[in-house]
Amino acid sequence: MRRTHLEGHDSRGRHPEREPTHTHGHDPVGHGPVRFGPHFPGDGLPVLPELSAVLAAAAGRGHDEPAGGGAPLLAAACGYWARRGLPTEPGHVAAGPGAGPLLLALTAALGGDVLVPRPCAAWWAPYARLLGRPVFHVPTPAESGGVPDPYALLETVRRVRAEGGDPRLLVLSVADDPTGTVTPPELLHETVEAAVGEGLHLVSDETWRDTLHDLHATVLLSPAEMLPERVTVVTDLAGALLPPGWPAAVARFPASAAGDGLHARVLDVLTALGARVAAPVAAAAGYALGEPEPVTARRAAAVRLHARVAAAVHAAVVAAGATARPPQAGRHLYADLGPLREALAARGVGDAQELEDHLTARLGMPAPGGHRFGDDLPALRVRLSTGPLVEGAGERGAECLTSPEPLELPHVQGALNALKSVFGDLRDAQRWEPPR
């Protein structure tokens, strides 16, 4: 395997750490809520009319969907994965009301301790903590957010076991939230090889796999293509197919005896929770998973729009002196404002929670700090989303999707100018800070 960092440490010299257990939703030094944080926005776009029509037509369905999803939804999910080179049978699929309940059920069914990248999606660790499971963050190379460094993974697993722990599950994502990066196939191979060698089961969150900004320049590989017998794939349809307010997600289990057992245990948990997809939403989800032309056209237009806006946000952040990887997928950008620490300190900002408060107030949109994604509280990191910058209802939202120059639309341009002004002020303050 290729060594990407000093073994056991990330690129900033930090050691893999156990995620602290938060009993009241606050971080251990009292800097505000971590589990119960700000509302994270969606894509800021109007609902596709064809989806609304399908949902409305199914609104009269008063019966429950089966736990794990009905036959039409499962068949549509099988077709979706088959088109991506992952042949799937309905008996190896489960659906739930969002990816959260599926991950909760998987964590409960697999048992043991949980490993996640650092940083990772904000919703991963709370489900393990809810079950009383230890969570261990593993350092992640900057160029491949969502997939931990293989050497750091090996050290973490062996250290946890030496301390009496029982690591069994690694959650990762090849198209990442919060960093917006896509893992290079060679690094993914190394990490999957390391995980399997240690007997871990992998859950691959592929919510953002269909939102690559440049299909020609970015190669995305699913871990399930590499090792199908040890990988469960979870896809939240809010990433690219459904509005975020219509909760639906699907999971693909390994076609093996172990996979059959895991599938059965997950269905037990979903049944106990009453975690079923609402019948009208299930109809819309099945339609979207079939990928008819209106759905694929809307997805392509939304990806183009968010890619343009994300590139503009990245340019503004970097021009101000902060650092950030160029976004490759999804609707997020993960920025490190450490180079602007003195300018931020002059504004009373000394950690990620204070950075979140400051930017949320100045930008007028949620700007969650890196501590919500498992990063260090003292690190001045923040996730910025493109959704609020294109927020619009009715004609204004639709105009973003059809305009050849969406960045020049008044409401988009105004939102971007406000962001540039906030970061420009920090740049100027840092540049002219008198020496101490």
Side-chain angles (χ1 to χ4, degrees):
M1 292 187 293
R2 172 176 54 89
R3 184 179 297 271
T4 55
H5 298 312
L6 292 175
E7 185 168 345
H9 294 76
D10 72 356
S11 59
R12 292 176 286 272
R14 297 172 302 184
H15 193 280
E17 295 176 359
R18 175 172 174 167
E19 172 73 5
T21 300
H22 305 304
T23 57
H24 300 290
H26 292 263
D27 72 353
V29 290
H31 282 71
V34 173
R35 181 182 298 167
F36 307 110
H39 173 68
F40 295 156
D43 67 0
L45 298 172
V47 176
L48 180 67
E50 287 82 357
L51 279 176
S52 295
V54 172
L55 187 83
R61 298 184 186 178
H63 61 273
D64 278 346
E65 285 282 295
L73 178 54
L74 301 185
C78 291
Y80 169 87
W81 278 309
R83 290 189 293 275
R84 285 151 181 81
L86 295 171
T88 308
E89 296 296 328
H92 299 136
V93 180
L102 288 176
L103 183 58
L104 176 66
L106 280 162
T107 305
L110 284 163
D113 302 341
V114 180
L115 303 170
V116 295
R118 166 175 281 169
C120 71
W123 57 274
W124 287 358
Y127 290 105
R129 293 200 295 263
L130 184 64
L131 294 167
R133 300 285 169 73
V135 179
F136 297 87
H137 281 274
V138 186
T140 301
E143 69 274 13
S144 59
V147 176
D149 177 272
Y151 289 95
L153 175 64
L154 290 173
E155 181 184 337
T156 302
V157 169
R158 293 165 187 174
R159 176 175 57 84
V160 170
R161 286 180 178 151
E163 295 172 354
D166 182 22
R168 298 187 194 177
L169 170 61
L170 170 64
V171 187
L172 50 74
S173 61
V174 288
D176 186 45
D177 164 26
T179 67
T181 60
V182 176
T183 304
E186 60 273 16
L187 178 65
L188 180 64
H189 273 284
E190 294 171 3
T191 299
V192 170
E193 179 185 75
V196 171
E198 295 297 327
L200 302 178
H201 187 87
L202 280 70
V203 170
S204 178
D205 178 1
E206 300 187 5
T207 295
W208 302 103
R209 69 164 295 156
D210 296 325
T211 65
L212 299 185
H213 295 176
D214 188 341
L215 292 172
H216 302 290
T218 306
V219 177
L220 183 145
L221 181 67
S222 170
E225 298 177 59
M226 300 167 47
L227 203 75
E229 68 274 14
R230 297 299 294 270
V231 178
T232 297
V233 176
V234 174
T235 299
D236 195 315
L237 305 190
L241 295 174
L242 288 182
W246 300 5
V250 288
R252 177 188 186 273
F253 294 82
S256 64
D260 292 343
L262 179 59
H263 179 254
R265 294 194 298 275
V266 165
L267 291 182
D268 285 343
V269 177
L270 293 175
T271 300
L273 294 173
R276 294 173 168 84
V277 183
V281 174
Y287 172 78
L289 283 165
E291 299 182 290
E293 193 278 334
V295 169
T296 57
R298 159 57 76 87
R299 182 175 61 202
V303 169
R304 284 194 301 269
L305 171 63
H306 286 290
R308 293 281 301 277
V309 176
V313 173
H314 179 260
V317 167
V318 172
T323 61
R325 299 291 299 184
Q328 298 172 289
R331 304 191 290 261
H332 305 121
L333 175 85
Y334 200 64
D336 188 337
L337 275 63
L340 301 172
R341 183 173 292 276
E342 290 187 2
L344 287 164
R347 290 159 171 77
V349 175
D351 63 28
Q353 179 64 59
E354 292 166 351
L355 178 63
E356 174 184 301
D357 295 340
H358 176 76
L359 288 181
T360 296
R362 290 292 311 278
L363 296 173
M365 69 180 203
H371 61 304
R372 300 193 184 278
F373 309 101
D375 224 330
D376 297 326
L377 182 68
L380 294 174
R381 301 191 184 102
V382 65
R383 191 191 75 172
L384 301 172
S385 299
T386 56
L389 300 173
V390 301
E391 189 90 42
E395 293 182 3
R396 195 170 70 166
E399 190 179 10
C400 290
L401 293 164
T402 58
S403 172
E405 297 296 338
L407 302 188
E408 296 180 6
L409 294 174
H411 68 285
V412 177
Q413 189 177 65
L416 284 172
N417 285 341
L419 183 143
K420 292 175 183 176
S421 176
V422 170
F423 279 90
D425 287 347
L426 291 173
R427 175 200 61 212
D428 294 342
Q430 185 76 17
R431 179 179 300 167
W432 296 109
E433 183 80 19
R436 296 180 179 179

